[in-house]
């Protein structure tokens, strides 16, 4: 499953509880390994978040969010996970 820019905007607005009218710019980032796609989402207030869509075919991708949360809990700097949908294979993070 791939996401259109509008679908990504809807996910971000919902996860961050932003109004429907909040301007969001979706910026695809360079291709990465492990069958993951990354997008920088620039919000109207100049904050940025990262939307990651991953393939469940790569087993390690399923553990990305849990590992990030674990690292934070033990004091290792890692991006904050705002939202994870394991059924649609996406993560919204710092």
């Amino acid at each position: 499953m791939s996401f259109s820019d509008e679908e990504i905007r809807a996910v971000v607005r919902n996860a961050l509880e932003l109004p429907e009218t909040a301007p969001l710019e979706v910026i695809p980032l360079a291709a990465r390994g492990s069958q993951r796609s990354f997008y920088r989402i620039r919000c109207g207030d100049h904050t940025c978040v990262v939307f990651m869509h991953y393939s469940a075919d790569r087993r390690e991708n399923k553990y990305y969010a849990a590992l990030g949360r674990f690292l934070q809990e033990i004091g290792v700097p890692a991006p904050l996970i705002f939202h994870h949908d394991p059924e649609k294979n996406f993560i919204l993070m710092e």
Side-chain angles (χ1 to χ4, degrees), residues 1-86:
M1 172 183 206
S2 62
F3 288 86
S4 71
D5 287 3
E6 278 310 309
E7 289 171 314
I8 293 172
R9 286 183 187 99
V11 166
V12 172
R13 285 184 181 113
N14 186 48
L16 299 180
E17 299 179 355
L18 298 173
E20 188 68 32
T21 57
L24 300 175
E25 181 182 5
V26 177
I27 305 162
L29 300 177
R32 302 285 201 252
S34 300
Q35 298 177 333
R36 295 180 300 216
S37 300
F38 291 86
Y39 303 84
R40 181 180 320 281
I41 312 302
R42 186 169 292 135
C43 302
D45 63 359
H46 303 291
T47 60
C48 290
V49 294
V50 174
F51 178 91
M52 180 184 85
H53 180 249
Y54 61 89
S55 169
D57 293 340
R58 297 290 300 253
R59 200 170 124 183
E60 67 269 18
N61 286 339
K62 297 176 191 179
Y63 303 110
Y64 194 101
L67 287 171
R69 288 180 176 132
F70 171 75
L71 290 172
Q72 281 194 323
E73 288 172 9
I74 63 169
V76 176
L80 177 64
I81 305 297
F82 296 120
H83 185 74
H84 178 217
D85 187 326

